Amino acid sequence: MALSKLDNLYRQVILEHGQHPRHYGELNNKTNEIEMFNPTCGDEITLQVKIVDQKIQDIKFQGQGCTISKASASMMAEELVGKDIKTCQVAAQAFSKLVMGEEITDSEDELLGDAVVLAGVQQFPARIKCATLAWKGLAQVLAKVGEKNE
Ligand code: ZN
């Protein structure tokens, strides 16, 4: 399994999130919902978000997918709940740079929190879409919310 090439500590964090994802389930009072599908791996994620006053009050996700897709959604929710839309957009962009192997700044690194452990997927191009699935879904939700407010 390709994951075994990842640094051991990082691998454990990813496996732990994949097996016990945070923010998994149904969100009451959601304001937005998006379904995301990654055909190359078969990952399916439904992301439910509650956004009030330009801030993400809560995120939950459901679906079936590989460990990386679930761990990534779990870490994303953990890091971004409570943050404002602009900050979350910056984080989503930073995350996609990270997994593509591009440099990110210290402040971006801090924003991503535990999710930086997913940087290792850059060695496995087929898994990059697994890692970015939830983040792309959130970015689409945020773009829509932003449009409405303009
Ligand atoms: Zn996957």
Side-chain angles (χ1 to χ4, degrees), residues 32-36 45-48 136-138 140-141:
N32 298 79
E33 179 175 290
I34 190 164
E35 280 176 43
M36 297 297 287
I45 283 180
T46 301
L47 205 61
Q48 296 179 326
K136 282 194 176 140
L138 185 70
Q140 285 180 31
V141 166

Side-chain angles (χ1 to χ4, degrees), residues 24-40:
Y24 191 89
E26 184 93 31
L27 181 60
N28 294 323
N29 309 320
K30 64 181 184 245
T31 56
N32 298 79
E33 179 175 290
I34 190 164
E35 280 176 43
M36 297 297 287
F37 180 51
N38 170 22
T40 49

Side-chain angles (χ1 to χ4, degrees), residues 1 16 24 26 31 34 38 42-43 68 76 122 130 139 150:
M1 185 178 176
E16 207 274 321
Y24 191 89
E26 184 93 31
T31 56
I34 190 164
N38 170 22
D43 307 317
I68 288 178
M76 178 186 82
Q122 65 191 256
C130 305
E150 266 164 26

Side-chain angles (χ1 to χ4, degrees), residues 105-121:
T105 65
D106 287 350
S107 62
E108 287 172 333
D109 185 283
E110 210 167 295
L111 260 184
L112 295 179
D114 275 357
V116 295
V117 302
L118 287 159
V121 301

Side-chain angles (χ1 to χ4, degrees), residues 124-142:
F124 315 106
R127 311 311 295 277
I128 291 173
K129 284 186 179 160
C130 305
T132 55
L133 191 65
W135 297 79
K136 282 194 176 140
L138 185 70
Q140 285 180 31
V141 166
L142 297 177

Side-chain angles (χ1 to χ4, degrees), residues 24-91:
Y24 191 89
E26 184 93 31
L27 181 60
N28 294 323
N29 309 320
K30 64 181 184 245
T31 56
N32 298 79
E33 179 175 290
I34 190 164
E35 280 176 43
M36 297 297 287
F37 180 51
N38 170 22
T40 49
C41 181
D43 307 317
E44 286 176 28
I45 283 180
T46 301
L47 205 61
Q48 296 179 326
V49 189
K50 185 183 176 193
I51 299 172
V52 179
D53 296 335
Q54 301 290 299
K55 216 179 217 181
I56 295 190
Q57 306 281 340
D58 207 356
I59 301 176
K60 285 221 168 156
F61 76 98
Q62 292 174 86
Q64 294 180 336
C66 65
T67 300
I68 288 178
S69 68
K70 280 193 284 186
S72 185
S74 169
M75 292 175 188
M76 178 186 82
E78 212 170 44
E79 296 305 326
L80 298 187
V81 166
K83 297 211 163 72
D84 63 62
I85 290 178
K86 277 257 149 57
T87 305
C88 295
Q89 284 173 325
V90 171

